[in-house]
Amino acid sequence: MNDAASVVMLIVSLTLIKATPLIYAALAGVISERSGVINIGLEGMMVAGAFTAVAVSGPTGSVVLGIIAGIIAGALFGLFLGILATKFRVDQIVAGTGINLIAIGGAAFALVLVFGQPGASKEVPSLEGASWILIALAFASAAGLHGLLYYTPWGLRVRACGENPHAVAAAGLNPLRTRIIAVTIGGALAGLGGAYLSVGELNLYSDGMVAGRGFIALAAVIFGRWTPFGATGAAIFFGLFEALQFALQRSGIPNEAMQALPYIAALVALAGLTGRVRAPAADGVPY
Amino acid sequence: MAVDGVDLDLYAGEIHALVGENGAGKSTLANIAFGTVKPDAGTVQASGTIGLVHQHFELVGRLRVWQNILLGREPRRGLVIDAAGAKARVLQLASDNGLEIDPDAFVEDLPIGIQQRVELLRELQREPSVLLLDEPTAALAPAEIASFFTTITHLAERGTAIMIVTHKLQEVISYSVRTSVMRHGKIVGSMLTASTTLDDIAREMVGGEIPAVADRAPTTPRPCLSVRDFSAGSGSNRVTEVSFDVQGGEIVGVAGVEGNGQSPLADALAGVATYTGTLTISSSKKRPGVIPQDRHREALVMPWSIVENAILGRQHDPGVQKGALLDRKVARADAESIVERLDVRAASVDVPIKTLSGGNQQKVVVGRALLGEPDLVLAYQPTRGIDVGAAALVQSRLMEARNAGAAVLLVSFELDEILTLADRILVLYRGNIVGTFDRAEIDRAQIGRLMAGSK
């Protein structure tokens, strides 16, 4: 009985831990796509956030500064994607993929510059026991984004941009600026999700540590029907499978199969949704 | 140059009609006046703000009516939108203008006529002194058109300067005070509407005489298309167990307001949608000639040349296909015959079709449908959005196909087109045929009533 209860507790807490970076990234995807920009670059923004947080936390000794730097790094990549996707009308899939490659390659290179070693950073000051703050903040962010999108004038503008940017222009507003700001905010959220991975859950950066979470978050956006709460729920669902992977490590199931669980869950969830969800009408369509 | 050296004055309290053929520069002029297009030279001055109601409404379907109308001007309470205040403001605005609207409805659920009302209200809440309307009645049913002009006339009476960009001359004559005619980017005539006639305006638009539609010749009917208990489509836009015949040597016109089952009927007859019931085609030809409703989406591949578009859908026909390859010579000969027969204005048959005007693109679609003299022609909105000259030419070719013995089914939302061409008229309302008229007994008013659903 006690054993069962502690296993459940373990799975719940692991789920929250594993879901948190996904929640941030999924919220980033929601705000970006509701404005009409598909954000394939979530993975790269998470990488940028994760690495920058470590690179600043190490030398300065301040994890708070590290996290802020991670948010800024993500936001800058968001701004970059936003400008490419609007002012320059670059194909959003190509631009996002480019951001992923730049961030992943750039972090691997900068590791050597900052820490003098490839593969992984040295250990840096991290949140340790205080990492629950970022977990709580993830849920608060979901509520905040919900309020922003559905109750404020700017949120209405974002949603209109994702459905028909021409209507926004007809109302005398600038849809390009709205999109750029939305994607930048998304970048900041994804950067925070990355920072949580490196200095919240762990205390170092290593190549490949984001491990496709940016893409799972994209699935969570769709699974959550482009709403903040829906995407959060989907992120928790995928986090659960990641947690199960740890909880069932000694169950005899091959480890590789267990590691594939979250990805399989994402695929199955998406396949089951085909034709039953509706993306914002102008999602991915340049204005 | 789309607009070239135009001088135009609009007066408060007047409805000014700006007419011209497609491509004459009317919409560009409206967009310059509104500010979305910057002129190379010249100025626009207004004693107040200018509003523009777009031809294709710029609305967000998945937002509510009040959200669309007040986008960018939402009343706030602190940081958030004051939704109750917003709805009240929209209701007030609507009643001030004698319009009825449900502020909470989602725009995508509303009929076209009401959607236009939303777009109109969005412009009106900025209290423009000048209101530009680009083809405002293009998507409206006859009843909606009348109520639309009531609103507009009322607005003008209260001191707004109104410009309607249109190609529907009957509306110009009925409702406008002044008329300006545009041709090739220039204003070629400006007049008081009362001192002119529809025919004069039409001649001014075309820059000469309006081409006549080919004469109707006597034919010998023979069975061609027979439809029995035919159902297709789903939801509100469907046809339910309709039965009719189209004989060789006659044009049967299907009249009705858009959305009463025309699309599922036409799609199922053309073989691109499923149906139940029986469909019998007595024809020696492999397939009917089909003119789809939307030339961009269903008929043409825009970056392709006229030659490539000419063989689209016929690529496996003997002649076009030689062994495993396409016979480019045959394709080119086909394209050239289309260009000649339909008077397509293009530099060569190798230019991408997107470089042609809408009228010339449509001529290619019609020409392709008539290649090989089909026994059955399905024409769905064959003159949609094209100029008077091109429309007369397309209508003449359909009439000639009929005179040569083809059975032509004409589905059109333009009642005038059906009245011009059809030997027999079926009125479609909510998926049922609610009236049938032979050419000798056509009663325009009665057809209009049936289209609107009354007896």
Side-chain angles (χ1 to χ4, degrees), chain B residues 35-344:
Chain B
T36 37
V37 174
K38 289 215 174 2
D40 301 324
T43 55
V44 178
Q45 287 177 340
S47 63
T49 58
I50 300 177
L52 172 64
V53 174
H54 299 78
Q55 177 174 9
H56 306 288
F57 313 144
E58 298 297 4
L59 298 171
V60 184
R62 273 203 270 181
L63 292 184
R64 297 179 192 278
V65 166
W66 69 264
Q67 292 171 325
N68 270 280
I69 292 175
L70 295 179
L71 185 64
R73 290 173 170 72
E74 309 86 355
R76 301 174 185 211
R77 210 170 27 192
L79 286 174
V80 302
I81 298 174
D82 174 10
K87 285 175 215 170
R89 197 197 279 184
V90 165
L91 280 175
Q92 182 64 42
L93 179 73
S95 81
D96 285 350
N97 289 285
L99 296 170
E100 220 177 286
I101 200 90
D102 171 9
D104 258 331
F106 285 100
V107 165
E108 65 186 357
D109 297 336
L110 299 172
I112 297 287
I114 308 294
Q115 289 191 12
Q116 182 183 52
R117 205 174 278 180
V118 177
E119 172 121 348
L120 184 61
L121 285 169
R122 187 186 67 206
E123 295 305 312
L124 291 181
Q125 59 102 17
R126 294 183 222 169
E127 300 184 345
S129 55
V130 180
L131 185 62
L132 314 172
L133 300 125
D134 192 1
E135 299 283 358
T137 61
L140 302 188
E144 289 174 323
I145 290 173
S147 108
F148 166 79
F149 275 106
T150 309
T151 308
I152 292 302
T153 307
H154 181 64
L155 263 176
E157 279 164 4
R158 295 197 307 174
T160 311
I162 290 171
M163 182 174 87
I164 299 178
V165 174
T166 184
H167 67 276
K168 293 189 178 176
L169 299 185
Q170 192 54 56
E171 293 170 9
V172 174
I173 294 292
S174 305
Y175 300 105
S176 76
V177 176
R178 271 170 224 277
T179 305
S180 292
V181 181
M182 266 188 108
R183 197 168 68 230
H184 304 313
K186 294 191 161 73
I187 299 238
V188 293
S190 237
M191 62 215 89
L192 283 170
T193 309
S195 67
T196 186
T197 65
L198 197 149
D199 289 340
D200 285 341
I201 298 174
R203 270 192 292 274
E204 198 78 63
M205 260 170 70
V206 183
E209 288 304 312
I210 297 124
V213 177
D215 288 334
R216 186 180 307 273
T219 55
T220 323
R222 56 175 181 79
C224 186
L225 171 71
S226 171
V227 166
R228 291 291 174 271
D229 303 321
F230 192 85
S231 301
S234 61
S236 62
N237 194 7
R238 62 195 306 270
V239 282
T240 318
E241 299 192 345
V242 294
S243 300
F244 62 88
D245 295 313
V246 184
Q247 312 266 358
E250 74 167 353
I251 297 178
V252 172
V254 178
V257 176
E258 184 168 10
N260 277 285
Q262 291 94 335
S263 289
L265 176 65
D267 287 349
L269 291 178
V272 295
T274 55
Y275 62 88
T276 59
T278 40
L279 168 64
T280 319
I281 298 175
S282 329
S283 167
S284 56
K285 302 290 161 60
K286 196 171 168 189
R287 69 171 79 84
V290 178
I291 302 168
Q293 178 190 19
D294 185 335
R295 61 177 162 271
H296 292 115
R297 222 167 48 112
E298 299 165 324
L300 299 172
V301 180
M302 285 293 149
W304 288 10
S305 69
I306 299 177
V307 175
E308 288 164 323
N309 274 290
I311 54 172
L312 194 58
R314 308 168 44 243
Q315 58 270 33
H316 295 300
D317 286 11
V320 180
Q321 187 177 4
K322 200 164 69 180
L325 305 174
L326 291 170
D327 189 335
R328 286 261 159 190
K329 269 190 210 137
V330 171
R332 178 167 292 272
D334 284 349
E336 275 161 1
S337 98
I338 291 173
V339 165
E340 194 195 321
R341 230 175 124 186
L342 275 293
D343 189 25
V344 177

Side-chain angles (χ1 to χ4, degrees), chain A residues 137-165:
Chain A
L137 186 62
F139 287 92
S141 300
L145 185 59
H146 177 83
L148 183 71
L149 281 178
Y150 293 101
Y151 293 96
T152 69
W154 191 75
L156 182 62
R157 212 162 295 172
V158 169
R159 288 188 287 143
C161 272
E163 294 291 335
N164 180 4

